[in-house]
Amino acid sequence: EDLTFLMMETKKLYGREKEVQHLCDVFQSAKNDGISDAIIVSGLSGTGKTTLIETTFEKEDCLYGSGKFEMQEVSTPFSSLSNAISAIGQAILAADAKKYEDLIKSSLTSDDIKKLRGLVPVLDSVVPGYCDTCTRAPKKGTKACFEHFKYALRLFLRSVSTQDRPVVLFMDDLQWIDEMTMQILKSILSDPDIKHFVLVGAYREDEMDADHIVSSWITEDVIDVIELANISPVQIAEALSDILETKENIQELADLFYNRTSGNAFHMMQLVDFIKNHNNPKLLEYSPTQFRYVWNIKDIRQFTSLSDNVVGMIVAKINQLPETAQSFLQLASCFGSRFDMRILLILEGGSISSSLDTAIQQGLLERIADTSNVIKFVHDKVYQAAVELVPSEERAKVHYEIGKKLLCHYCGDQDNFADIDDAIFFTCVDQLNFGKDFINDGNFRLRLAKLNCEAVVRAASFSAFLAAVKYAEISISLLDKKTMWTDEYSFCLELHTLLAEVSSNCGQSEQLNIAAREVFKHAKTIDDKLRAHFAVFMGKPKDTTKEYSNLLEELGEGLPRDQSKVRALACIIRTHHSLESSSDEHILKLPPMMCMRKGASVRIVTMLVDNLIRHDKFCQATILLSNMVAVTLKEGLSEYTPLILAQYGSLLISFDKSIKMACRLGSLAIKVLDVVEASPIARVAVFTYTSFLTNWQQPLSLHLDRRIEMYQDSLRLGDLWGAFGSITTYGMEYFYSGLSLTPLVQDMQKFVGQMASYGQHLFLSTNL
C-alpha cells in the first residue's frame, strides 16, 4: 500500500479533542442562538491549524468557504476573500439553489449584485439572469464604491446564513492579511443583522507581533483564540500506530520522532514519508507476512540525525521525481501556493497533465475541488520547497518569461487588454512585475508601465485601492524620470492623477501628496490639474474652504468683491427671472455640460457651500449658488446639478424668498437625478436638502418612501449618521402625516433595534 496516499487520506485528529469541541460549541451557538461570532486558531507552522478547522466543519451542515492569504502578493485583488465567497456560492449551487436564489433576490438589488459579481463570478450562476442588462463595473472606484461593496457583501451573508445551514467563513494565514480585507471582515462581524454566521481565522503565532492589525483586532474586539500546541509523544504514538498499522514497539519510534520534530504534526508526516521513500528499504518497509510496516530503529535514529529541516526533506523528495514533474512544480511555484491549471496549459501544453497526477499522488499538490482547475500546494512548506528548486538569481528571469509568454498569447504585439479576464490579466502583470529588473528594453518597459496603469484602473474598479497604489508606483518606477514628462506627457499625467485618486481613497496621504505635486508641477493647463485637485480635497479631513476658493478663482468663477446681502438679493432676483423663463421640461432636456472647467466649478461650489454655511457666510453661498444655476442654464446638466438646485432652494427658504420657487427647485432636483448619473453621495445629499423643501407644498406622506430610500443609500455608503438621521425624520413625518400609526410602530420597533445594535445611542434615545 502507498504510504503517502495513506497519510494523505488519514483525516483523524490526534490530541485535539478540546479544540474540536471548542469550535463545535461556537458553531452550535451561532446556529441555535442566531448570532454571528468569530474564533481564531493560532499556532506554529505545521501544527495542523488548517486540518483542525477543515476536518471539524466538514462534519457540520453548513455553507463553508475558505480563502488563504499569501506571503507573495497574488494576482486578483481580494483574491482570498473572493475564493472563500466563491466556495460558499458553489456550496449553494450544490444545495437548494432555488431557495437561496429567492433569498438573495429578496435582499439584494441588481446594483448590489453588480458590486459583488466582479470578485465572485459564480453569482451569475447563483442568481441567473438577475444582472443580464448590466455591464462591467465602473472602472474608477471611490470610497463610496468600497462602502457599497462591503454593504452588498453583508446583505449577501444576511440572506444566505440560515439556522438550517449557517455560514462558516474560514480565512487562513491571517498574518499576511491586507488592511482593506481586514476592514471588510470587521464590517461583517459588526453587522447585527447577520445571523447564524461564524468567521474562523488562523495565523502563525511566530509571524505576528503586538502591532499587527490582527493582534489589535483580537484585543479590541475580544476575539476568542485557540492556541494550538505541538502534539505529545503519546499522540505521535497513536498517529504512527494508525499509519503503520501496528502498536508493537511504537512508543520507542514515537519518542524518536518527537525528538526529531518537537511534536510538529506536518514535520512528523514528512519524516515518515522521507524515511519510507529513501533508497534504503530496511529503514521502513511493509511486511506482507506480518501485514504491517516494520523498521530498524537504530538505522532510523542514525539516518534522521540531520532531519530537522523539513523543507530540505521535501526538496529531496521532489528531486526523486521525474524531471518533467520537477519542472512542473518549479513552474507552478511561480504563481503562489495555488494556481490555475489553464494558465499552465497555455505555457506548457497538455504534456503537464501526467506531471500534475504525479505530484498529487506524491502528496505535494491537491485540487481545490474534484472538478476544479485550481490546484494548491498541500502546505506552505511544500510550496517553499518548490520555490527553492529555482535558484534565486534566476527567478526574475523565469517570472519575466512567464509573463511575456502570457502577454504574447493574449495580446500579441497589440496593447488591447479589454477582453482579457481580470484574473488572467493580473497574473500576467504580476509575473512581469516580478521580473521587471530583468527588462532592459525601453519600449518594453513602457509597455509594462501601461499594463500596470491598466491594472490600477481594474484594481480600483474592485475598490482594491491599496493594490492600485502598488501598481501605480511600479508603473512610475519603470519610466525614465528625466524624460517621462516630455516623452509621454499624456500617459504620465493620467498615471500620476490615478495614483493621487487611489491614494486619496485609501488614506495614503504621503503617496497622494507626492503624486499631486508632480501633477501640479508638470501639468500644462488648469484642466489637466483638476482631477488631482479633487483627489487632494477628498483626502483632506480639515476645512478646505481656502483651497476651494482659490481653485474657483483660477477657474474664473471666484467670489466678487461685493459679498453684501444686497448683492445676494440681487443675484436671487436675477436667477429667479431666469428660472421663471425656463420650464422644468426645458431644463430636463438640457444637454450634458461639456466644459470641464464649468463642470469642475459646479462641483467645487457644492463642496464649498456647506463650509460657508457652517461659518454663517450665507451671502457668499447664495452668490455662488446663483452663479452656478446660471452656468447650468447656459452650459447644460452635470452630475452635480441636482445638488446645486437643492442647495439653492434651501437658501431661498433661509432668505424668506419665494417658497413656491424653492419647492419647485426641490422637485426639479429629484427629477434631474433620473437624467444625470449622480454619485451616490450627491444623491443622498440631494434627498437631504429637498426633504426640507417639498414638504412646504406637498403632503408629508409623499416623502416617506424617499426617507427609506435615503436610509438604504446611506447604509450603502457606510454613513450610519445619515441612515438613522433619515429614519428619525421618517418617524416624525409619519407621525404628523395623518396615516394610521400601526405600521409606524412596527417599523420603528425594527429600526430602534438596529440603532441599538449599531451603537447609535443618540438616535436611540431620540426615537425611544
Side-chain angles (χ1 to χ4, degrees):
E1 187 176 5
D2 189 332
L3 185 59
T4 301
F5 179 78
L6 179 62
M7 289 191 295
M8 287 174 60
E9 292 299 304
T10 301
K11 291 287 187 178
K12 183 177 177 181
L13 299 171
Y14 298 94
R16 304 303 191 199
E17 293 79 12
K18 290 183 179 179
E19 290 84 357
V20 170
Q21 188 60 52
H22 196 156
L23 290 173
C24 290
D25 289 345
V26 170
F27 176 79
Q28 290 301 323
S29 178
K31 179 182 176 73
N32 298 327
D33 300 337
I35 62 172
S36 68
D37 205 351
I39 187 167
I40 293 179
V41 180
S42 72
L44 300 174
S45 174
T47 51
K49 302 181 293 297
T50 304
T51 302
L52 168 69
I53 294 165
E54 290 181 343
T55 303
T56 299
F57 289 108
E58 276 178 2
K59 302 172 185 176
E60 302 290 354
D61 188 13
C62 62
L63 294 177
Y64 177 83
S66 66
K68 182 181 183 302
F69 297 99
E70 300 277 354
M71 178 171 59
Q72 171 181 294
E73 292 185 73
V74 292
S75 308
T76 307
F78 298 132
S79 61
S80 304
L81 190 62
S82 172
N83 293 332
I85 302 301
S86 294
I88 291 173
Q90 294 293 347
I92 287 172
L93 292 175
D96 188 348
K98 185 63 173 66
K99 166 191 168 184
Y100 285 105
E101 179 184 350
D102 293 340
L103 288 172
I104 292 169
K105 286 183 175 180
S106 67
S107 300
L108 283 79
T109 66
S110 59
D111 284 340
D112 297 328
I113 293 293
K114 276 193 295 183
K115 289 296 177 186
L116 296 178
R117 66 188 290 198
L119 288 179
V120 192
V122 72
L123 285 178
D124 284 335
S125 300
V126 175
V127 281
Y130 199 39
C131 293
D132 280 351
T133 59
C134 300
T135 57
R136 183 187 176 89
K139 284 279 188 178
K140 294 180 182 178
T142 63
K143 290 180 182 178
C145 288
F146 181 53
E147 294 299 332
H148 188 182
F149 171 75
K150 291 193 293 184
Y151 182 70
L153 179 56
R154 297 201 307 272
L155 288 179
F156 172 76
L157 292 174
R158 288 180 197 175
S159 65
V160 302
S161 301
T162 64
Q163 186 168 16
D164 293 340
R165 296 194 74 186
V167 167
V168 176
L169 187 68
F170 171 40
M171 304 306 296
D172 202 1
D173 283 327
L174 287 172
Q175 70 274 6
W176 296 320
I177 191 173
D178 61 276
E179 189 173 329
M180 298 197 76
T181 306
M182 186 79 257
Q183 290 181 33
I184 295 171
L185 296 184
K186 286 183 176 182
S187 170
I188 292 170
L189 285 176
S190 65
D191 189 331
D193 294 321
I194 297 178
K195 315 289 186 183
H196 313 293
F197 171 82
V198 181
L199 172 64
V200 185
Y203 69 83
R204 298 179 186 176
E205 61 185 34
D206 58 332
E207 297 187 28
M208 266 179 33
D209 55 29
D211 295 329
H212 195 282
I213 55 175
V214 174
S215 300
S216 302
W217 172 48
I218 292 170
T219 303
E220 292 168 3
D221 293 4
V222 196
I223 305 297
D224 200 4
V225 178
I226 297 175
E227 296 179 354
L228 204 62
N230 286 332
I231 57 179
S232 68
V234 173
Q235 292 152 359
I236 290 179
E238 185 181 355
L240 290 174
S241 178
D242 288 345
I243 294 171
L244 303 178
E245 301 176 319
T246 182
K247 293 185 178 180
E248 187 176 339
N249 299 323
I250 202 72
Q251 191 60 56
E252 184 180 15
L253 183 62
D255 290 340
L256 173 62
F257 272 55
Y258 182 79
N259 178 264
R260 296 290 188 256
T261 66
S262 300
N264 185 278
F266 179 77
H267 192 170
M268 184 201 74
M269 291 295 190
Q270 293 303 313
L271 187 57
V272 174
D273 191 53
F274 184 56
I275 294 169
K276 171 63 177 66
N277 289 292
H278 193 262
N279 292 331
N280 182 0
K282 299 298 181 181
L283 292 174
L284 178 67
E285 62 180 343
Y286 188 78
S287 171
T289 59
Q290 299 182 53
F291 302 104
R292 67 178 181 84
Y293 281 90
V294 295
W295 58 87
N296 185 312
I297 189 68
K298 181 179 179 180
D299 289 349
I300 288 177
R301 179 175 285 108
Q302 181 177 358
F303 176 71
T304 60
S305 60
L306 298 176
S307 62
D308 58 335
N309 182 357
V310 65
V311 174
M313 288 193 295
I314 301 171
V315 169
K317 177 179 180 177
I318 294 175
N319 285 333
Q320 294 180 20
L321 299 178
E323 288 188 8
T324 53
Q326 293 182 43
S327 299
F328 169 75
L329 289 170
Q330 290 177 16
L331 181 63
S333 73
C334 293
F335 296 90
S337 65
R338 64 170 64 199
F339 54 91
D340 192 324
M341 272 298 293
R342 291 171 296 182
I343 292 179
L344 268 68
L345 286 170
I346 291 172
L347 296 171
E348 296 295 322
S351 61
I352 61 173
S353 297
S354 60
S355 297
L356 172 63
D357 293 339
T358 299
I360 291 176
Q361 291 168 4
Q362 290 298 315
L364 300 170
L365 300 175
E366 63 181 359
R367 293 186 184 275
I368 300 296
D370 292 340
T371 58
S372 174
N373 288 308
V374 181
I375 313 296
K376 71 174 184 177
F377 287 89
V378 297
H379 194 274
D380 282 336
K381 295 294 185 184
V382 178
Y383 165 61
Q384 185 181 343
V387 168
E388 291 189 5
L389 294 174
V390 182
S392 58
E393 63 273 12
E394 297 180 14
R395 289 198 70 80
K397 183 178 180 181
V398 173
H399 284 299
Y400 166 73
E401 294 294 345
I402 291 171
K404 194 170 183 181
K405 195 167 185 177
L406 288 174
L407 185 63
C408 180
H409 177 83
Y410 285 103
C411 294
D413 295 329
Q414 304 300 314
D415 285 338
N416 182 16
F417 318 124
D419 296 330
I420 304 179
D421 172 81
D422 286 319
I424 292 174
F425 176 81
F426 284 117
T427 297
C428 177
V429 175
D430 284 349
Q431 291 297 315
L432 288 169
N433 286 343
F434 288 136
K436 68 181 187 305
D437 292 339
F438 188 77
I439 303 173
N440 296 316
D441 179 77
N443 290 331
F444 194 79
R445 289 179 71 85
L446 177 60
R447 190 182 185 194
L448 180 54
K450 292 181 177 180
L451 277 167
N452 274 279
C453 187
E454 170 69 10
V456 175
V457 176
R458 293 201 187 199
S461 75
F462 291 129
S463 300
F465 301 119
L466 289 174
V469 169
K470 179 199 73 172
Y471 286 120
E473 291 178 331
I474 291 174
S475 181
I476 292 171
S477 72
L478 289 163
L479 301 174
D480 187 331
K481 303 296 184 294
K482 296 179 180 179
T483 62
M484 61 181 182
W485 280 100
T486 53
D487 294 348
E488 297 289 337
Y489 174 79
S490 296
F491 173 63
C492 281
L493 177 66
E494 177 66 13
L495 179 58
H496 284 83
T497 301
L498 281 172
L499 177 56
E501 290 172 338
V502 295
S503 298
S504 175
N505 286 334
C506 60
Q508 301 294 306
S509 57
E510 182 178 352
Q511 290 91 332
L512 165 61
N513 291 332
I514 291 173
R517 281 199 300 268
E518 281 292 292
V519 173
F520 299 152
K521 177 181 177 181
H522 295 282
K524 297 177 179 179
T525 67
I526 181 61
D527 291 2
D528 290 349
K529 298 178 183 179
L530 286 175
R531 282 170 55 196
H533 273 300
F534 284 119
V536 172
F537 292 158
M538 299 307 292
K540 280 188 176 182
K542 63 180 182 179
D543 186 355
T544 51
T545 301
K546 183 177 180 181
E547 288 89 340
Y548 291 155
S549 301
N550 289 342
L551 184 55
L552 267 180
E553 192 74 36
E554 197 172 351
L555 290 167
E557 298 291 343
L559 281 165
R561 292 182 179 179
D562 182 3
Q563 300 173 11
S564 64
K565 187 172 183 179
V566 173
R567 176 62 185 267
L569 290 173
C571 288
I572 290 175
I573 294 171
R574 183 197 68 199
T575 307
H576 195 92
H577 289 316
S578 298
L579 287 169
E580 281 190 331
S581 63
S582 300
S583 66
D584 287 3
E585 291 73 18
H586 170 74
I587 294 173
L588 290 171
K589 291 180 180 179
L590 288 173
M593 190 176 293
M594 302 305 294
C595 177
M596 183 182 295
R597 297 189 184 192
K598 298 299 182 182
S601 298
V602 170
R603 181 180 178 184
I604 293 168
V605 168
T606 64
M607 300 161 71
L608 179 57
V609 161
D610 285 339
N611 288 344
L612 293 175
I613 292 175
R614 277 199 297 270
H615 292 87
D616 295 327
K617 296 181 178 180
F618 289 94
C619 292
Q620 290 185 17
T622 301
I623 294 169
L624 285 175
L625 286 170
S626 178
N627 291 343
M628 290 305 104
V629 171
V631 166
T632 296
L633 294 175
K634 180 180 179 181
E635 300 288 343
L637 304 177
S638 81
E639 62 176 303
Y640 292 94
T641 295
L643 188 50
I644 285 288
L645 296 174
Q647 288 176 323
Y648 183 64
S650 298
L651 279 180
L652 285 183
I653 297 292
S654 68
F655 270 93
D656 198 23
K657 296 292 179 183
S658 185
I659 290 176
K660 181 179 178 181
M661 178 60 74
C663 293
R664 177 197 169 192
L665 290 172
S667 298
L668 181 59
I670 294 173
K671 293 176 183 177
V672 177
L673 280 176
D674 296 328
V675 177
V676 300
E677 192 174 336
S679 68
I681 293 177
R683 185 177 179 84
V684 170
V686 168
F687 283 157
T688 302
Y689 278 104
T690 57
S691 63
F692 298 105
L693 296 176
T694 52
N695 58 12
W696 286 84
Q697 289 187 332
Q698 297 174 354
L700 290 172
S701 57
L702 295 181
H703 303 202
L704 299 178
D705 288 343
R706 192 179 307 143
R707 291 295 184 190
I708 298 298
E709 187 176 346
M710 286 174 61
Y711 160 75
Q712 294 170 339
D713 284 347
S714 295
L715 281 183
R716 283 180 170 83
L717 297 173
D719 179 9
L720 295 180
W721 183 272
F724 292 117
S726 299
I727 290 304
T728 301
T729 307
Y730 165 80
M732 290 188 291
E733 290 182 344
Y734 198 123
F735 185 83
Y736 291 108
S737 67
L739 299 174
S740 169
L741 296 180
T742 302
L744 174 62
V745 173
Q746 296 172 347
D747 285 347
M748 294 310 293
Q749 285 176 341
K750 177 183 70 174
F751 291 130
V752 164
Q754 291 179 344
M755 291 172 189
S757 298
Y758 280 107
Q760 297 297 304
H761 302 297
L762 176 61
F763 290 116
L764 184 62
S765 61
T766 301
N767 286 275
L768 285 177

